[in-house]
Amino acid sequence: MTDYRRLRVALLGAGAVGSQVASLLRQHADELADRAGARLELVGIAVRDVDAPREVDLPRELLTTDAESLIVGADIVIELMGGIEPARTYLLQAINSGADVVTANKALLATHGPEIFDAADQVGAEVYYEAAAAGAIPIIRPLRDSLAGDRVQRIMGIVNGTTNYILDRMDTEGAEFADVLADAQRLGYAEADPTADVEGYDAAQKAAILASLAFHTTVPLDAVHREGITSIDKQMMDAARHAGYVIKLLAVCERLNAPRPSRSGEAAYRDEISVRVYPALVDRAHPLASVHGANNAVFVQAEAAGNLMFYGAGAGGVQTASAVLGDVVSAARRHIAGGVGVGESTLANLPIVPIGRVTTRYQITLEVDDQPGVLATVAGTLSDGRVSIANVEQTVAGEDARTARLVIGTHKALEQDLSETVDRLAASGVVERVVSVLRVEGD
Amino acid sequence: MTDYRRLRVALLGAGAVGSQVASLLRQHADELADRAGARLELVGIAVRDVDAPREVDLPRELLTTDAESLIVGADIVIELMGGIEPARTYLLQAINSGADVVTANKALLATHGPEIFDAADQVGAEVYYEAAAAGAIPIIRPLRDSLAGDRVQRIMGIVNGTTNYILDRMDTEGAEFADVLADAQRLGYAEADPTADVEGYDAAQKAAILASLAFHTTVPLDAVHREGITSIDKQMMDAARHAGYVIKLLAVCERLNAPRPSRSGEAAYRDEISVRVYPALVDRAHPLASVHGANNAVFVQAEAAGNLMFYGAGAGGVQTASAVLGDVVSAARRHIAGGVGVGESTLANLPIVPIGRVTTRYQITLEVDDQPGVLATVAGTLSDGRVSIANVEQTVAGEDARTARLVIGTHKALEQDLSETVDRLAASGVVERVVSVLRVEGD
Ligand SMILES: NC(=O)c1ccc[n+]([C@@H]2O[C@H](COP(=O)([O-])OP(=O)(O)OC[C@H]3O[C@@H](n4cnc5c(N)ncnc54)[C@H](OP(=O)(O)O)[C@@H]3O)[C@@H](O)[C@H]2O)c1
Ligand SMILES: NC(=O)c1ccc[n+]([C@@H]2O[C@H](COP(=O)([O-])OP(=O)(O)OC[C@H]3O[C@@H](n4cnc5c(N)ncnc54)[C@H](OP(=O)(O)O)[C@@H]3O)[C@@H](O)[C@H]2O)c1
């Protein structure tokens, strides 16, 4: 066996992910040494309660509640505690004491990313976070390195397993949101408090991380437009299926302007971007439509590379541990090589436009009076609002023959125009109710 | 604009890929400088004929037939000539003169990879080859870095666009191989001499590269079992569809042994591997089944990460150029950082087993005499040969009522057992003809 140099690895957290990381670090020690060119010596594991029952067997003597002492003298610190504090303080402490750090903490990176990356830059440390963007799916290196010579135009990601599981079951079983959610909670696919998932907060954090990588710019979390899936009901699902769509919660990161000619002087490529999370209609023929269950996928459109998709498990303790360990090996290689490391390249400060300036197609479902002239009134209002109709379907609504249902597919329209127009329709005499307005993504 | 250090980039080849690389290097110069932390100065482009017409406008003064002079003093050399010689000599010259090298040359890497990587190791240079494994699909970094802490169990790749295009059209249009091939040649999806694609040579080169990355071992090209798609006909396609399968040309890289306990001493994880390329039946519900047209996809099963899939364009000049430029940016970052670089980790020399030792499921189609007792004879022969039957379907063959057709699905069986058993069936009195034997992959 090769006689490798030893690197001291400190682990903060031994929960769903951390316990698996600890277990794999010990189980695959020889292979990891060959991969990293160094022996990864787990010097300790910080937890809140050393006596708490653990999913996996961890040597009692490695556990400690004293994270700060563990960090001192570590070459690599792995943060898997979650939350903002004390995770933030520990990460900064690790960086300032000369360690490279690995984290899966999307909440922390989406809110304090610049502070942490700046601190690392100052001392020449590196921050690895493959597991923070899409769990086990390798997406950081492809975006940061493989596509570094290309221009990403758009990312559409299914980045939250819980909501994809719920929407997929609603779609395939024709079930209602509340029923599937309850079942998902029972089966462990959704948390007791499902807010972070079903309201899109988790997806918004990942969208901020993905957009900052794809467009090499800073993306504050509060610039991400966010809508959850709690308003999606069986009727909307059925209508979507009928029209050849499926409803997915998408994280969309988009470059808005066509590239300007590059010789026109400084910063010719400082386009604008949009980052948004919402349930959207996706054509059933689109590769994202066949992402089932709790799986995740990130669809990337790049100028030269064309369409790429990355698919896999977006969460799960052992799956996420795989991504964390890949980062640990990279950190170790860098430590051995002694270089300045891959670094993030120069960051721009691209303007992030509000949702009103986004352009997509829409599907509008209205309940209208079933009378002659109604369609003409609706069509007129849309056209006055600069929303152009691609197709209309009219069905008579169930028992109540007095009203009919109009499903209107639009061409691309500005969100601002669309929403003002829908308000005007709602206020008009002929529309009884705006049943739903959904964006169509994927073209 | 930041005042970046300049790096001298030499380009060898200005064909389908090279001309796009040259064009993007100039068009995106400012962005590339921001990404790389250095200005990438294209100092020259080596071609065979400086007066040949080119797809893109290249400054005449950059073109030269003198590749050797171009290499001298270059910081980064991009090899996009293709073929073994003089590409090999030039790459070695570049490495020995201190340059980092980027290549898309799968033929060269699959045959002379170890020589080139060794030469680079000797001088501390780096070889980048993202475009050599699956065109524009980022697969090298995920396998080498993101999954470095995990254990890849199996890769199934659709890595040749031409054959996927042909098989997809045969499947969707019910057309014959020869007709689709002729059409593909007319449309530019297949070369005038399609041998490298349809006989699986191109896929075998990529399989060797993927397997060596995934299993961190040396894989000689002649250890890759290879079968092409020329024997696939309409009837086999129809039968596959009928049984819920689609036929794909797969590159399969598989770890054969279950991991042995790791504390048993040296090299406890030196498993055996199998690397093979052949047309196989893939369940229509499998993500690989929905890879259409000339697209490529690499499906990866890893111990911790679970199932991952990487999808995109496997070829095309501009798509491939994206992968090449990503490598150029990585090479430039490394040059600036001055570290020893990512390196390939320690390589093992895992035994590569012959095809006879591979285990898969099979679908065997036989033309048999339509007489009582035939099924019992066939079943007996299979069972004697250690091939266990999962399901059988019998249909009477078209006009000739004298014979019937048996489609037999097997459980997992050893290829050696299977092929001896099929020989025995063919020689038996009751089997008129072995119509086809196809392997089933994906479970
Ligand atoms: N779970 C996933 O599938 C997944 C996927 C992608 C990313 N992530 C991210 O990975 C991180 C960890 O997630 P998880 O699911 O493993 O969390 P978890 O199961 O809640 O585990 C958290 C661990 O951190 C420890 N801890 C918490 N606060 C601490 C403190 N103040 N001092 C010392 N130890 C402390 C806990 O100790 P005790 O055990 O003593 O309570 C526990 O071991 C999070 O940032 C999460 O967003 C998770
Ligand atoms: N095309 C794809 O989609 C694709 C995808 C993945 C990987 N690749 C790989 O990328 C590499 C390049 O492919 P390609 O399609 O761009 O090839 P190509 O179109 O045939 O271009 C080859 C170029 O190399 C030049 N060249 C050939 N031999 C030379 C020599 N002895 N000295 C100087 N220049 C020489 C040629 O010069 P002239 O122009 O003067 O003839 C031409 O410009 C190959 O290794 C290929 O396997 C290609």
Side-chain angles (χ1 to χ4, degrees), chain A residues 275-360:
Chain A
V275 191
R276 50 195 200 261
V277 169
Y278 48 54
L281 296 169
V282 176
D283 193 297
R284 293 221 169 234
H286 194 282
L288 285 172
S290 31
V291 177
H292 298 294
N295 284 305
N296 282 200
V298 182
F299 189 84
V300 180
Q301 298 177 283
E303 204 173 285
N307 293 343
L308 301 168
M309 192 168 87
F310 305 81
Y311 164 95
V318 66
Q319 292 87 341
T320 306
S322 167
V324 170
L325 280 177
D327 281 351
V328 172
V329 169
S330 288
R333 283 177 184 162
R334 193 186 98 91
H335 234 85
I336 300 293
V340 181
V342 289
E344 180 39 287
S345 51
T346 309
L347 281 188
N349 255 309
L350 300 186
I352 305 172
V353 303
I355 188 74
R357 289 217 19 233
V358 167
T359 302
T360 63

Side-chain angles (χ1 to χ4, degrees), chain A residues 141-149, chain B residues 130 138 141-142 322-323 325-327:
Chain A
R141 289 173 184 82
L143 284 178
R144 191 195 52 197
D145 301 332
S146 310
L147 288 168
Chain B
E130 180 67 83
R141 288 173 184 83
S322 167
L325 281 176
D327 281 351

Side-chain angles (χ1 to χ4, degrees), chain B residues 13-18 46-49 54 80-82 86 104-106 131 315-317 320:
Chain B
V17 184
V47 292
R48 266 179 307 217
D49 175 3
R54 307 268 155 213
L80 295 168
M81 301 191 312
N105 196 330
K106 51 215 162 214
T320 306

Side-chain angles (χ1 to χ4, degrees), chain A residues 154-443:
Chain A
R154 183 154 52 166
I155 290 180
M156 291 186 288
I158 295 174
V159 292
N160 180 272
T162 305
T163 47
N164 200 60
Y165 176 86
I166 293 173
L167 292 173
D168 192 32
R169 282 195 54 184
M170 289 177 69
D171 178 48
T172 50
E173 298 169 16
E176 277 294 0
F177 174 77
D179 298 334
V180 179
L181 173 59
D183 213 39
Q185 286 172 316
R186 203 176 48 77
L187 294 168
Y189 284 105
E191 313 240 352
D193 176 359
T195 314
D197 294 320
V198 299
E199 295 293 359
Y201 290 100
D202 173 77
Q205 291 168 355
K206 292 166 178 169
I209 294 173
L210 289 175
S212 67
L213 271 165
F215 304 128
H216 311 279
T217 191
T218 307
V219 180
L221 186 54
D222 57 17
V224 179
H225 175 85
R226 178 194 50 75
E227 296 172 33
I229 64 162
T230 51
S231 65
I232 306 297
D233 60 19
K234 182 168 151 38
Q235 215 169 38
M236 287 157 88
M237 274 288 173
D238 292 345
R241 193 177 318 107
H242 174 75
Y245 295 116
V246 56
I247 300 177
K248 296 284 186 191
L249 182 69
L250 293 187
V252 183
C253 314
E254 193 174 26
R255 194 189 289 274
L256 282 187
N257 295 347
R260 283 173 258 165
S262 104
R263 249 159 291 181
S264 67
E266 199 172 331
Y269 54 89
R270 286 178 67 92
D271 299 331
E272 296 175 317
I273 62 169
S274 154
V275 191
R276 50 195 200 261
V277 169
Y278 48 54
L281 296 169
V282 176
D283 193 297
R284 293 221 169 234
H286 194 282
L288 285 172
S290 31
V291 177
H292 298 294
N295 284 305
N296 282 200
V298 182
F299 189 84
V300 180
Q301 298 177 283
E303 204 173 285
N307 293 343
L308 301 168
M309 192 168 87
F310 305 81
Y311 164 95
V318 66
Q319 292 87 341
T320 306
S322 167
V324 170
L325 280 177
D327 281 351
V328 172
V329 169
S330 288
R333 283 177 184 162
R334 193 186 98 91
H335 234 85
I336 300 293
V340 181
V342 289
E344 180 39 287
S345 51
T346 309
L347 281 188
N349 255 309
L350 300 186
I352 305 172
V353 303
I355 188 74
R357 289 217 19 233
V358 167
T359 302
T360 63
R361 297 196 286 125
Y362 295 85
Q363 185 154 300
I364 309 166
T365 306
L366 304 173
E367 212 167 278
V368 296
D369 298 336
D370 192 11
Q371 288 176 1
V374 165
L375 183 56
T377 308
V378 168
T381 308
L382 286 166
S383 136
D384 288 351
R386 285 180 300 275
V387 177
S388 138
I389 300 179
N391 53 66
V392 182
E393 194 184 5
Q394 169 156 1
T395 50
V396 175
E399 301 99 72
D400 180 2
R402 212 179 41 78
T403 65
R405 188 158 282 208
L406 279 185
V407 181
I408 303 162
T410 78
H411 289 294
K412 287 206 167 184
L414 197 64
E415 172 97 14
Q416 170 109 37
D417 290 342
L418 191 284
S419 76
E420 285 172 13
T421 304
V422 169
D423 287 350
R424 242 172 282 128
L425 282 172
S428 81
V430 298
V431 172
E432 298 271 318
R433 193 164 68 94
V434 176
V435 180
S436 67
V437 179
L438 282 169
R439 300 164 190 97
V440 182
E441 294 280 357
D443 46 17

